[in-house]
Amino acid sequence: MMLMARNETPAQKVRRHVALSAAVTALGGLLFGYDTGVVSGALLFLQKDFGGLSSFQEELVTSLLLVGAVVGALLAGRVADLIGRRLTVLITAAIFVVGVLLAAFTPTYPVLLAARIIIGLAVGSASMVVPLYIGEVVPPRVRGGLVSLNQLAITSGILVSYLIDYGLSGIGNWRLMFGLAAIPAVLLFTGMLFQKESPHWLIRQDRTDEARDVLKRVRDSEDIEDEIHEVQEVSRKQAGTRELLSPRIRPLLFVGVLLAVFQQITGINTVIYYAPSLLQGAGFGNSAALLANVVNGAVNVGMTIVAVWLLDRVGRRPLLLSGTAGMAVGMAITACSFLGGEHLHGALAIVAVIGLLVYTGSFAIGLGPVFWLLIAEIYPLRIRGAAMSVATMANWGANFVVTVSFLTLLNAIDGVGVFFLFGFLTLVALAYFWRKVPETKGRSLQEIEHDLTGSRA
Ligand code: BGC
């Protein structure tokens, strides 16, 4: 093994390194997806151990994770600046393991809620710090690909959780559903032990010699000294958080935050977290509801793969606009299936599921990946970290608001009302994207910055 590593050409060495970084990204995204998706199936069986949970109690199990995630995303950026990216990912993975095991072995409902908050801290932290770390450690030319890989990993994590929910539905073992997330968490921890600290963070700590050593391992070009200077230059010009609200940056911050909010208030996670409960309420058996969920998860992954392939070919805007239009159509179909009442029989049940599939597939080809990609592309380097963290928190915050109120809303205004409401909000989102969201395809981050703010970093 050592011998092989020593005989590697620089290009092979970099390729191996990028593959390892991709694996870390994938594990971070997988955990994000698994831990948020798994609750959809688990909800059907929690009743058994804790005796009749109310809609609100179900909403809490689902959404307290998101409160943890808002806090996790907020803290992770600061902690990662203080103690380094690598240590922050290690701590995040350890928190994942603790939270997941607590959920699996929880003796009572309140302890389960505490466990969900702890898992949320780790999910929020991972959603910030894994992309941050990877963005700094891999060569710039593969950065975009890894951002999209992250979304693919999230959707794959959701699908794996659905498959496990379905597989364990016969015995209704919700503890194992939660507990299996410990495996990728342990893998993330172990994998990270063998990774290097981010060279950019080392440079900012004035540990330039160590940074140079790391860069020699992870770059095959001669431009290492240039990169070191560039990072030193940018950290010298590092803007305060106040610059986020400057007249030049504010409109961009607004675009990121609105993309984040629209990604959530158009309803994606009411489908991702609650589809089985919804279908069960509409008359599906447990197994049929979970199977339909698996199909939905597979469409989500499949269309994300198509999106990753198309994003650099046709551009972000066409995918965002057509995907958002498709979401509105899907919501309208689902709403119509409920017109005859809350119980769906025969063909109407199929229409409802088709509506959900059209909706999820359209989200996966547009707003799903495009939100995460754009917030990594539209901000000037020196405020990128802060601006991404604001957009990420807005995303988790809006997710929380929708998730904590969905079942209550559904009881109050029924399926037709709720799904038409989401359809309407999707049309509002479409009009906003049409007018305000820029195309970034094929442009360097510097050019994008120039276009959007009229100047360079
Ligand atoms: C969203 C998540 C969502 C997932 C579904 C992501 O882009 O941020 O909230 O659960 O897509 O695939």
Side-chain angles (χ1 to χ4, degrees), residues 32-33 36-37 66 151 154-156 158 263-264 268-269 272-273 300-301 304 360 363-364 367-372 395-396 399:
F32 172 162
T36 52
L66 306 168
Q151 176 69 15
I154 296 172
T155 53
S156 306
I158 294 174
Q263 199 205 38
Q264 296 300 327
I268 184 62
N269 287 314
I272 298 289
Y273 307 158
N300 195 11
V301 173
T304 304
T360 306
F363 173 89
L367 193 47
V370 170
F371 160 66
W372 293 104
N395 189 264
W396 287 115
N399 189 349

Side-chain angles (χ1 to χ4, degrees), residues 242-256:
R242 228 182 309 132
E243 205 201 324
L244 283 178
L245 295 177
S246 70
R248 218 163 53 90
I249 302 298
R250 205 174 22 207
L252 289 183
L253 188 68
F254 212 63
V255 171

Side-chain angles (χ1 to χ4, degrees), residues 157-386:
I158 294 174
L159 177 60
V160 171
S161 77
Y162 287 178
L163 283 166
I164 287 179
D165 284 357
Y166 179 61
L168 293 175
S169 64
I171 48 172
N173 192 338
W174 59 268
R175 292 180 185 275
L176 198 52
M177 294 175 186
F178 283 127
L180 282 173
I183 298 173
V186 169
L187 285 177
L188 177 62
F189 187 89
T190 323
M192 205 59 202
L193 284 177
F194 297 98
Q195 295 283 74
K196 300 280 166 223
E197 180 51 273
S198 146
H200 291 192
W201 182 78
L202 289 170
I203 296 169
R204 286 188 192 153
Q205 302 294 308
D206 285 328
R207 290 159 62 179
T208 317
D209 290 341
E210 285 169 71
R212 192 173 287 114
D213 281 347
V214 178
L215 281 171
K216 280 186 190 146
R217 289 165 196 254
V218 300
R219 302 282 187 270
D220 57 358
S221 67
E222 301 302 314
D223 305 335
I224 290 177
E225 294 308 318
D226 288 349
E227 187 169 343
I228 293 177
H229 282 136
E230 206 177 303
V231 177
Q232 282 170 336
E233 204 44 32
V234 170
S235 11
R236 214 166 299 134
K237 285 201 261 169
Q238 192 81 29
T241 10
R242 228 182 309 132
E243 205 201 324
L244 283 178
L245 295 177
S246 70
R248 218 163 53 90
I249 302 298
R250 205 174 22 207
L252 289 183
L253 188 68
F254 212 63
V255 171
V257 168
L258 275 186
L259 271 166
V261 171
F262 278 131
Q263 199 205 38
Q264 296 300 327
I265 63 169
T266 45
I268 184 62
N269 287 314
T270 62
V271 179
I272 298 289
Y273 307 158
Y274 292 124
S277 304
L278 200 73
L279 294 175
Q280 197 195 37
F284 283 58
N286 281 351
S287 204
L290 290 173
L291 187 62
N293 211 29
V294 168
V295 176
N296 198 39
V299 167
N300 195 11
V301 173
M303 293 308 272
T304 304
I305 294 175
V306 176
V308 170
W309 187 73
L310 284 178
L311 276 167
D312 280 324
R313 291 182 170 77
V314 305
R316 285 64 163 142
R317 260 179 77 86
L319 290 181
L320 179 66
L321 297 176
S322 53
T324 309
M327 286 165 66
V329 173
M331 274 298 169
I333 298 177
T334 308
C336 288
S337 72
F338 283 98
L339 278 172
E342 294 301 292
H343 248 72
L344 303 178
H345 300 287
L348 276 184
I350 296 176
V351 173
V353 172
I354 290 178
L356 292 180
L357 296 180
V358 169
Y359 170 81
T360 306
S362 306
F363 173 89
I365 206 160
L367 193 47
V370 170
F371 160 66
W372 293 104
L373 189 54
L374 282 181
I375 63 164
E377 288 183 328
I378 61 174
Y379 297 113
L381 183 56
R382 55 182 202 291
I383 52 132
R384 189 170 301 149

Side-chain angles (χ1 to χ4, degrees), residues 57-117:
Q57 284 174 314
E58 290 191 353
E59 283 168 341
L60 281 185
V61 176
T62 312
S63 60
L64 280 182
L65 177 141
L66 306 168
V67 175
V70 176
V71 179
L74 175 71
L75 293 182
R78 286 161 202 267
V79 175
D81 279 344
L82 277 178
I83 63 171
R85 284 51 167 138
R86 181 174 169 273
L87 196 53
T88 311
V89 177
L90 281 171
I91 295 174
T92 302
I95 298 178
F96 260 125
V97 177
V98 172
V100 158
L101 293 181
L102 191 63
F105 292 104
T106 180
T108 59
Y109 171 77
V111 174
L112 178 61
L113 294 186
R116 292 285 291 170
I117 296 180

